Amino acid sequence: MIAVATFTDPRPTALSAEREDALMEKHLSLINALKESGFEVFDVNEAIGKYDAFRKGMNFGIDSKDEAFNAAKVINGKGAGGVILGMWHWTESNLITLLAKEVNRPLLLYADDDPAWAGSTCITSVGASLWESAVNYHALHHTRIKGDLEKVKAWVRAVEAASKLSRKSLLLFGAPYTLGMEHLMDDLPRLKRFIGDFLMLDQYLIVKRADAMLSDGRRVEEFFDWLTSKAEVKFDGGMLTQEALRRQIAIYLAAKEIYEEYKDEVSGVSIKCQPELSEVYGVTACLIPALFPFSLDATGEKEVIPATCEGDVKGTISSALLFYLSGKPPLFGDIKYVDDELILIANCGASSLYYARLSENPEENLRATVIQGQCQGASGGALTYRTPKVELTVARLIRAGGEYYLLYFLGEGLEIGRDIEEKLRWGKQWPHTAIKNPLDRNTFISIMGANHLSAVPGDFREELRFVAKLWGIKAINLEEKAEVKEFLRVM
């Protein structure tokens, strides 16, 4: 939920009736535009009785310290993720400072591009006062926008995504870090600036439930029949046997059952898998990254749940962030190959099946998927597809020298034709996605603080810049060579 509050000039002046009428019209126009885009909006002026006051000949805008405190009280009571402040005409800056101090939430100062009123004067005066007082982080790092509703909507999406992440937990199966990758270790207490909490459960919980499901057999068999009827399956008598696929199904069902116990508080899931499941238990957990971030399984339609492998905390945050910004299943995978022209993303056995066809009909995506023997682990199937050409926003939270950074760029999708396909050997059975490299190969490799990337269809670069500002970290657009050069200069 986003709160919208309009302020006005407390002084009795000429044109006050005309001014207040204009302020109310602008206030309602902004609220209606946000609602039409699907946002939940809390009208602060309505909540504190300003419409009734206007009908009685008084000001529509908030015009006193008492009203500013009252506005802060109702905003806090509603739990709004952020506040848009209508700066359509002059108001006294200290009223905004009082509200900012009380709510301590992301703040956007907004006015339309109307020369009839002093919106520019108001935004610059109030903004300067918030910098001067610096009563809290959000006052100091507020955002100012004039006459650009699309940018306002991007800010709202960023605030909503950051707010959801800050109130929810990541569910991590297995203790990091995986296969000696130290970048998968993390400063979890510090990450609570971004994330509500972390639920860390041992993978034995999955194994125990999976074994019980295999002993009973009914749910596993129903799922087996459904999956083999929807996707092409190539049993090979070695790596991918019917028994191995049933064990993979049991792992997925067990993880899903555990997730259901915590789902109201969880924003994303990561499975360590290697080597405890893939080698010791004897089968890879590939159905988790394939089907958690997908809208269908054997039980019917289901929610999309961002999911990653190898206990990648920063990767899970990146995926969950993109999901909350876009509403689309996030893609997650390894940086498998880079040259001056392209980047190949191919996860270790599976990624969201949505990317098999990018169809809103999940069965079409399943029909475009082939399940065949893995290239690693003791046994199990990989879920094979090639993502069609699509524009993707790619993002990755990294840490260098103890500081967090948000890397991102808009990736132009490339077709994986025969020329690329014929060069693939190891991991050929993995799902592959090709995008245009925004840099040259060496610069891209030099700046990458991880071997995993997350992505969603569409352009969410503006939203990611706002999220980084809300988090107090630096965002680096890999399309901007100056930003890349500055980061590499100090590393």
Side-chain angles (χ1 to χ4, degrees):
M1 178 188 295
I2 293 295
V4 176
T6 285
F7 284 71
T8 192
D9 190 341
R11 302 168 298 176
T13 61
L15 297 175
S16 59
E18 183 181 350
R19 178 196 69 211
E20 294 306 304
D21 186 62
L23 264 57
M24 184 172 69
E25 181 181 335
K26 295 172 186 295
H27 177 89
L28 286 171
S29 178
L30 174 60
I31 288 176
N32 290 334
L34 292 174
K35 286 183 175 179
E36 287 171 5
S37 295
F39 299 114
E40 184 180 0
V41 183
F42 174 54
D43 187 338
V44 177
N45 290 58
E46 180 181 40
I48 64 173
K50 296 302 289 184
Y51 289 92
D52 289 338
F54 179 71
R55 285 190 284 268
K56 295 175 183 177
M58 293 180 281
N59 286 341
F60 170 76
I62 297 167
D63 61 6
S64 70
K65 293 179 180 179
D66 285 344
E67 285 188 347
F69 282 124
N70 193 16
K73 182 178 179 180
V74 297
I75 291 169
N76 289 334
K78 280 290 184 178
V83 186
I84 300 175
L85 300 172
M87 303 282 97
W88 320 103
H89 188 56
W90 175 259
T91 191
E92 294 181 358
S93 301
N94 61 342
L95 301 181
I96 310 298
T97 303
L98 288 172
L99 181 137
K101 186 176 182 179
E102 292 295 310
V103 300
N104 195 18
R105 283 171 168 78
L107 300 175
L108 169 62
L109 310 184
Y110 181 72
D112 58 5
D113 201 22
D114 184 357
W117 305 100
S120 298
T121 308
C122 190
I123 288 179
T124 52
S125 173
V126 169
S129 294
L130 290 174
W131 280 351
E132 187 74 33
S133 59
V135 291
N136 52 45
Y137 176 86
H138 294 301
L140 182 60
H141 298 281
H142 66 272
T143 295
R144 308 176 197 179
I145 299 175
K146 189 168 187 287
D148 189 340
L149 270 176
E150 292 308 308
K151 196 168 185 178
V152 171
K153 293 172 186 177
W155 182 85
V156 173
R157 278 189 288 269
V159 168
E160 287 188 340
S163 178
K164 289 174 182 176
L165 284 170
S166 72
R167 300 177 187 191
K168 288 181 174 284
S169 303
L170 299 188
L171 175 55
L172 308 175
F173 288 111
Y177 52 107
T178 303
L179 302 180
M181 290 185 281
E182 286 137 328
H183 68 276
L184 298 181
M185 304 176 79
D186 234 305
D187 187 346
L188 298 188
R190 190 173 178 189
L191 277 176
K192 287 192 177 183
R193 291 188 300 168
F194 317 146
I195 301 298
D197 206 352
F198 300 91
L199 298 172
M200 307 184 74
L201 305 179
D202 197 281
Q203 293 177 114
Y204 176 68
L205 297 179
I206 294 176
V207 170
K208 186 175 181 180
R209 293 198 192 203
D211 284 345
M213 290 178 186
L214 288 166
S215 295
D216 175 77
R218 178 183 54 82
R219 290 176 61 192
V220 173
E221 284 305 311
E222 289 175 354
F223 204 109
F224 181 91
D225 292 342
W226 172 82
L227 185 58
T228 54
S229 70
K230 298 297 183 183
E232 182 182 355
V233 183
K234 295 182 177 181
F235 294 111
D236 55 23
M239 183 63 78
L240 181 58
T241 62
Q242 292 192 14
E243 178 191 5
L245 184 57
R246 286 184 173 94
R247 294 180 79 192
Q248 286 186 297
I249 290 168
I251 286 174
Y252 167 76
L253 289 173
K256 184 183 175 187
E257 192 175 85
I258 295 169
Y259 164 80
E260 289 291 329
E261 299 173 11
Y262 301 96
K263 66 178 183 179
D264 290 341
E265 63 173 297
V266 170
S267 61
V269 174
S270 190
I271 181 77
K272 182 171 183 274
C273 186
Q274 302 185 73
E276 297 86 356
L277 296 180
S278 62
E279 301 288 348
V280 180
Y281 189 61
V283 66
T284 54
C286 294
L287 289 183
I288 291 175
L291 292 175
F292 264 59
F294 193 56
S295 61
L296 185 73
D297 68 12
T299 64
E301 293 185 4
K302 56 178 280 294
E303 65 175 320
V304 170
I305 309 153
T308 70
C309 303
E310 298 175 345
D312 187 346
V313 175
K314 291 185 285 293
T316 310
I317 294 172
S318 303
S319 291
L321 171 59
L322 289 171
F323 171 63
Y324 284 139
L325 290 176
S326 68
K328 298 290 186 181
L331 177 76
F332 173 83
D334 286 289
I335 302 166
K336 190 169 181 241
Y337 174 76
V338 178
D339 65 22
D340 290 339
E341 302 300 323
L342 66 82
I343 301 163
L344 277 181
I345 303 172
N347 201 38
C348 173
S351 291
S352 169
L353 296 189
Y354 173 72
Y355 291 86
R357 276 293 177 270
L358 293 162
S359 173
E360 297 308 314
N361 179 354
E363 296 210 2
E364 289 185 11
N365 299 308
L366 280 163
R367 286 194 294 270
T369 301
V370 178
I371 304 175
Q372 55 187 318
Q374 256 281 24
C375 65
Q376 59 187 35
S379 71
L383 291 94
T384 311
Y385 62 75
R386 303 295 182 251
T387 302
K389 288 177 63 174
V390 63
E391 188 176 68
L392 297 168
T393 297
V394 183
R396 176 68 202 195
L397 183 67
I398 68 167
R399 185 164 61 142
E403 297 297 324
Y404 287 96
Y405 300 85
L406 185 59
L407 307 183
Y408 70 99
F409 64 95
L410 188 64
E412 176 188 340
L414 301 174
E415 183 179 353
I416 299 179
R418 182 176 296 178
D419 57 330
I420 298 176
E421 195 72 42
E422 289 178 347
K423 296 176 183 177
L424 301 178
R425 291 292 180 271
W426 175 75
K428 186 173 184 176
Q429 58 273 79
W430 296 354
H432 282 65
T433 303
I435 53 176
K436 186 176 180 181
N437 189 349
L439 301 164
D440 64 80
R441 71 187 76 188
N442 288 320
T443 305
F444 183 88
I445 290 295
S446 296
I447 200 170
M448 238 341 108
N451 59 307
H452 296 145
L453 293 172
S454 300
V456 288
D459 183 356
F460 296 94
R461 290 173 293 178
E462 191 80 73
E463 288 85 346
L464 290 171
R465 285 191 287 270
F466 282 133
V467 169
K469 183 176 181 180
L470 294 170
W471 283 351
I473 65 176
K474 187 173 181 56
I476 303 170
N477 183 355
L478 301 195
E479 301 162 78
E480 298 293 336
K481 291 182 172 53
E483 294 183 18
V484 173
K485 184 178 181 179
E486 175 59 24
F487 176 83
L488 294 177
R489 183 185 66 81
V490 298
M491 286 300 156

